[in-house]
């Protein structure tokens, strides 16, 4: 699965649209990156840019943003209300999906080193990417802002993590840039059945990490208490990594608690929602729903869906679409206006909607496409789809079993099997299109020019490489389809007996998927010149095929035994 990260560079220009356009144009030149938002501010004289994609192209786009901003923005004449010390002031990388923070930190360091080395810009790494403990705090990195940079550079304390440690005309123009790695920030507003800003603020103070001032006598009207150093003593709120206030929204005619969750790994959105609901209820207020401002990673909704399904003691082995629907309804994300995941979830915005995918077709359209004179989809894609159906049938039995009357105490057991089946099904659905893509790669290789000896050599190598991949894809289908037998067997043995025949049909599909994919392994391997690879993959394919046949026969015998009582 693709690794997706977000980058949110802030450039020190919010008034000259021509400069802003030139900077953002650099992002759109990089293939595999999607520009999501450009938010200029005249008063701050700063523009917040948001784009996403896989790590390598995102880092390339980020580098180009910093380079172009350094060419166009002169910090010697910059003025604005927002703290800053560089033409590109901050450039954080943020994990979105299928990537760890440690991996993002490595990308941030690589990007920071490249900017410092190739562009001669002082770089300070902050938050999770900090190499000096104090520099985790962005405000510390910007101590004294741009105006103090000339006196700080050259000292040991303020030696940049990368780039020059000396003030010169070039640095005077570019300033310094902070490159960081941080968690995704979610902005969310909770809708209250009150118009009272004071009550909304009270709820916000209950939950936000900063909390509220401790007052003399424990009274709201009491003076804030101070410690020995004269600092206000705070009573912390219940939710870590959150900031919140209460306000009245005239457009909706209600008060809201407006919250920023700065680390969704520490405080997931659904946890924050439940806590705000609890604190509101304690004050006689009800949360009717909430609205998410901006974009979110898909994980936010999937985790929420899993949480609410588990609370209902329902199987978690349902589709992604179903989990997202549960999340939307459980948190009232559509309370004030429609909530469309296709417009709010980063991963969905990144999807190529122009690409024609077999798995997005109707059953009839897929069958018609298969029956057409086009050679793809062929047996490999059909085998992968049969495997997906095998896993789907086993998953269906698991979900039915989790709902069976009298089996309430076993819902989690069957939920675990359904989750495993869903994962196998999703992998096999991916292989449906991947098998056709592999075939198309071979056709593309055959279409390469072959006039000169070098072209012939390159064409032959490309054909061999594409054929090898076209052998590996159906082999992966064999492996994944065989995994379905584990869930099928469990459902034959312990699942709802009324659905045992469904599990039996699943066994038939799984065996056919394995054998069908195996045929594609054999025919594609026949053209390979790498004899060692060919011998190994054919031997492994034969083992899986024999094991699948044995599994099917044993499971069908068990199914018939149950049918016959």
């Amino acid at each position: 699965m693709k690794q997706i990260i977000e980058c949110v560079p802030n450039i020190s220009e919010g008034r000259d649209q021509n400069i802003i356009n030139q900077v953002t144009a650099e992002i759109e030149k990089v293939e595999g990156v999607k520009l999501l938002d450009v938010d200029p501010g005249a008063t701050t004289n700063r523009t917040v840019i948001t784009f996403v994609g896989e790590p390598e192209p995102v880092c390339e786009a980020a580098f180009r943003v910093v380079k172009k901003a350094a060419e166009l923005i002169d910090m010697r004449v910059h003025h604005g209300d927002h703290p800053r010390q560089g033409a590109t002031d901050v450039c954080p990388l943020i994990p979105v999906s299928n990537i760890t923070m440690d991996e993002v930190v490595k990308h941030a360091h690589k990007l920071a080193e490249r900017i410092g080395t190739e562009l001669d810009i002082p770089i300070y790494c902050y938050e999770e990417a900090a190499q000096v403990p104090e520099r985790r705090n962005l405000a510390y990195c910007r101590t004294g802002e741009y105006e103090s940079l000339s006196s700080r550079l050259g000292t040991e304390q303020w030696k940049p993590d990368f780039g020059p440690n000396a003030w010169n005309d070039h640095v005077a123009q570019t300033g310094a840039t902070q490159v960081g790695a941080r968690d995704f920030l979610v902005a969310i507003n909770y809708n209250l059945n009150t118009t009272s800003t004071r009550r909304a603020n009270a709820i916000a103070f209950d939950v936000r990490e900063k909390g509220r001032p401790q007052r003399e006598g424990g009274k709201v009207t009491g003076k804030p208490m101070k410690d020995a150093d004269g600092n206000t003593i705070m009573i912390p709120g219940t939710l870590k990594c959150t900031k919140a206030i209460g306000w009245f929204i005239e457009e909706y005619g209600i008060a809201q608690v407006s919250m920023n969750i700065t680390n969704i790994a520490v405080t997931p959105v659904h946890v924050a929602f439940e806590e705000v609901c609890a604190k509101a209820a304690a004050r006689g207020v009800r949360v009717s729903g909430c609205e998410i401002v901006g974009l979110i990673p898909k994980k936010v909704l999937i985790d929420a869906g899993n949480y609410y399904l588990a609370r209902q003691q329902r199987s978690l082995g349902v589709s992604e679409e179903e989990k997202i629907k549960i999340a939307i309804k459980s948190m009232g994300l559509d309370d004030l206006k429609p909530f469309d995941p296709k417009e709010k979830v980063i991963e969905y915005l990144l999807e190529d909607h122009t690409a024609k995918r077999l798995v997005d077709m109707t059953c009839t359209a897929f069958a018609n496409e298969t029956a057409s004179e086009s050679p793809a989809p062929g047996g490999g894609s059909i085998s992968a789809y049969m495997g997906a159906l095998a896993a789907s049938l086993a998953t269906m039995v698991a979900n039915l079993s989790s709902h069976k009357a009298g089996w309430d105490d076993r819902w989690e057991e069957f939920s675990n099997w359904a989750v495993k089946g869903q994962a196998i099904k999703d992998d096999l659905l991916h292989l449906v299109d991947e098998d056709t893509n592999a075939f198309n790669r071979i056709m593309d290789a055959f279409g390469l020019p072959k006039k000169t000896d070098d072209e012939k050599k390159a064409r032959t190598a490309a054909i061999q490489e594409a054929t090898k991949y076209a052998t590996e894809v159906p082999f992966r289908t064999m492996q994944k389809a065989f995994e379905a037998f584990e869930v099928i067997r469990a459902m034959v043995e312990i699942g709802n007996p009324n659905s045992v025949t469904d599990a039996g049909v699943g066994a038939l599909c799984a065996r056919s998927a394995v054998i069908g994919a195996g045929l594609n392994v054999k025919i594609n391997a026949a053209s390979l010149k790498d004899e060692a690879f060919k011998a190994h993959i054919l031997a492994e394919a034969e083992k899986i095929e024999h094991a699948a046949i044995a599994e099917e026969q044993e499971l069908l015998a068990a199914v018939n035994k149950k049918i016959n009582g």
Side-chain angles (χ1 to χ4, degrees):
M1 299 178 73
K2 288 183 179 180
Q3 292 185 321
I4 302 297
I5 64 172
E6 180 185 59
C7 184
V8 190
N10 290 205
I11 63 170
S12 295
E13 178 56 67
R15 300 164 186 168
D16 190 329
Q17 194 61 48
N18 180 47
I19 290 177
I20 296 168
N21 290 343
Q22 288 185 67
V23 172
T24 57
E26 293 299 307
I27 299 167
E28 297 181 307
K29 293 176 183 177
V30 181
E31 187 175 350
V33 173
K34 185 162 187 176
L35 179 62
L36 297 179
D37 190 49
V38 180
D39 186 10
T43 302
T44 58
N45 199 11
R46 184 183 186 89
T47 297
V48 180
I49 304 167
T50 306
F51 56 93
V52 293
E54 294 186 69
E56 293 298 335
V58 163
C59 289
E60 174 62 29
F63 177 83
R64 295 189 187 194
V65 164
V66 176
K67 182 179 180 180
K68 183 58 70 172
E71 294 171 1
L72 301 176
I73 299 171
D74 190 342
M75 290 303 295
R76 289 170 293 195
V77 295
H78 180 272
H79 299 284
D81 289 350
H82 199 287
R84 81 285 180 266
Q85 71 171 0
T88 299
D89 186 50
V90 295
C91 187
L93 301 181
I94 302 149
V96 173
S97 61
N98 305 315
I99 190 168
T100 66
M101 180 60 77
D102 287 343
E103 290 174 301
V104 173
V105 167
K106 290 178 182 177
H107 287 294
H109 287 161
K110 186 177 177 181
L111 173 63
E113 182 177 20
R114 185 183 176 196
I115 294 170
T117 302
E118 296 185 28
L119 303 181
D120 290 323
I121 296 174
I123 303 295
Y124 295 97
C125 294
Y126 74 103
E127 289 212 15
E128 296 297 327
Q131 296 182 320
V132 177
E134 293 83 0
R135 294 179 186 174
R136 288 184 66 90
N137 187 334
L138 177 59
Y140 177 85
C141 295
R142 286 194 300 220
T143 298
E145 296 186 43
Y146 170 80
E147 284 71 20
S148 74
L149 194 58
S150 60
S151 60
R152 285 187 286 133
L153 278 179
T155 67
E156 188 60 31
Q157 178 185 358
W158 290 103
K159 181 180 180 181
D161 296 299
F162 301 99
N165 186 27
W167 184 259
N168 54 42
D169 288 343
H170 174 71
V171 174
Q173 177 178 330
T174 66
T177 293
Q178 285 65 227
V179 175
R182 64 169 173 81
D183 199 74
F184 199 93
L185 184 149
V186 171
I188 183 169
N189 300 326
Y190 304 90
N191 311 323
L192 307 177
N193 68 333
T194 181
T195 58
S196 171
T197 301
R198 183 166 70 85
R199 285 167 176 77
N201 261 317
I203 298 165
F205 295 165
D206 287 341
V207 297
R208 69 182 187 181
E209 182 173 21
K210 181 180 178 180
R212 56 163 49 84
Q214 184 173 333
R215 298 183 179 275
E216 292 179 354
K219 297 181 180 179
V220 176
T221 56
K223 292 183 179 180
M225 298 176 65
K226 308 284 186 178
D227 62 18
D229 297 322
N231 299 314
T232 300
I233 300 173
M234 301 296 293
I235 304 172
T238 55
L239 294 175
K240 297 289 186 183
C241 303
T242 63
K243 303 173 183 179
I245 59 170
W247 60 22
F248 176 77
I249 303 298
E250 190 168 344
E251 177 187 358
Y252 301 139
I254 59 170
Q256 289 181 325
V257 172
S258 178
M259 177 183 287
N260 281 347
I261 304 175
T262 59
N263 191 327
I264 55 177
V266 175
T267 300
V269 170
H270 60 273
V271 170
F273 176 78
E274 289 297 316
E275 184 64 9
V276 172
C277 286
K279 295 303 183 185
R283 293 180 177 275
V285 178
R286 190 174 72 85
V287 176
S288 62
C290 58
E291 62 172 348
I292 288 177
V293 181
L295 306 177
I296 52 170
K298 182 167 60 177
K299 175 179 168 60
V300 167
L301 297 180
I302 296 297
D303 287 351
N306 285 335
Y307 172 79
Y308 290 109
L309 284 168
R311 282 188 61 177
Q312 297 170 23
Q313 294 191 342
R314 289 181 56 197
S315 172
L316 276 58
V318 296
S319 68
E320 181 177 284
E321 291 78 10
E322 180 67 14
K323 289 181 181 181
I324 289 175
K325 180 180 177 181
I326 290 289
I328 292 170
K329 291 302 179 184
S330 297
M331 297 189 292
L333 292 173
D334 55 358
D335 179 36
L336 298 177
K337 53 188 175 183
F339 181 91
D340 185 353
K342 300 298 182 185
E343 297 176 355
K344 301 292 287 185
V345 175
I346 290 173
E347 290 91 334
Y348 293 156
L349 287 170
L350 281 173
E351 289 178 355
D352 183 2
H353 297 289
T354 63
K356 181 181 178 182
R357 296 199 313 169
L358 294 170
V359 293
D360 292 332
M361 293 181 172
T362 64
C363 292
T364 300
F366 188 24
N368 289 340
E369 182 70 17
T370 303
S372 72
E373 61 186 16
S374 170
S381 292
I382 300 302
S383 296
Y385 191 61
M386 284 193 293
L389 292 176
S392 297
L393 283 166
T395 302
M396 179 191 77
V397 178
N399 282 325
L400 288 171
S401 300
S402 73
H403 276 290
K404 182 173 168 57
W407 286 17
D408 293 343
D409 59 337
R410 300 180 66 187
W411 77 269
E412 194 168 8
E413 172 190 1
F414 289 111
S415 173
N416 291 337
W417 282 114
V419 168
K420 181 173 287 190
Q422 283 281 353
I424 296 169
K425 177 211 73 179
D426 289 342
D427 286 341
L428 284 160
L429 284 177
H430 170 74
L431 287 165
V432 170
D433 279 288
E434 197 58 29
D435 194 273
T436 294
N437 293 338
F439 173 80
N440 290 335
R441 282 173 63 169
I442 294 177
M443 294 298 99
D444 290 342
F446 272 104
L448 292 173
K450 51 181 178 178
K451 292 180 180 179
T452 67
D453 289 342
D454 286 343
E455 286 179 346
K456 290 177 182 177
K457 185 177 179 180
R459 178 176 178 273
T460 299
I463 291 171
Q464 282 295 301
E465 187 63 30
T467 303
K468 185 176 183 180
Y469 185 69
T471 306
E472 291 173 328
V473 170
F475 181 72
R476 282 161 50 196
T477 297
M478 293 182 76
Q479 292 175 310
K480 192 57 63 174
F482 187 79
E483 287 181 25
F485 277 116
E486 182 186 8
V487 186
I488 295 167
R489 176 175 289 278
M491 293 307 100
V492 168
E493 294 176 349
I494 65 170
N496 188 333
N498 295 327
S499 301
V500 70
T501 54
D502 297 306
V505 175
L508 289 167
C509 289
R511 187 228 41 187
S512 297
V514 169
I515 295 176
L519 292 175
N520 281 265
V521 172
K522 293 171 187 175
I523 194 168
N524 291 332
S527 302
L528 290 173
K529 295 178 181 179
D530 186 340
E531 295 298 333
F533 173 81
K534 181 196 299 188
H536 174 73
I537 200 167
L538 288 175
E540 291 301 309
E542 186 176 11
K543 290 179 186 176
I544 296 173
E545 183 175 323
H546 289 324
I549 292 170
E551 280 284 326
E552 180 222 31
Q553 290 176 347
E554 189 174 329
L555 288 171
L556 285 182
V559 169
N560 282 306
K561 186 176 180 180
K562 283 202 171 186
I563 292 173
N564 295 326

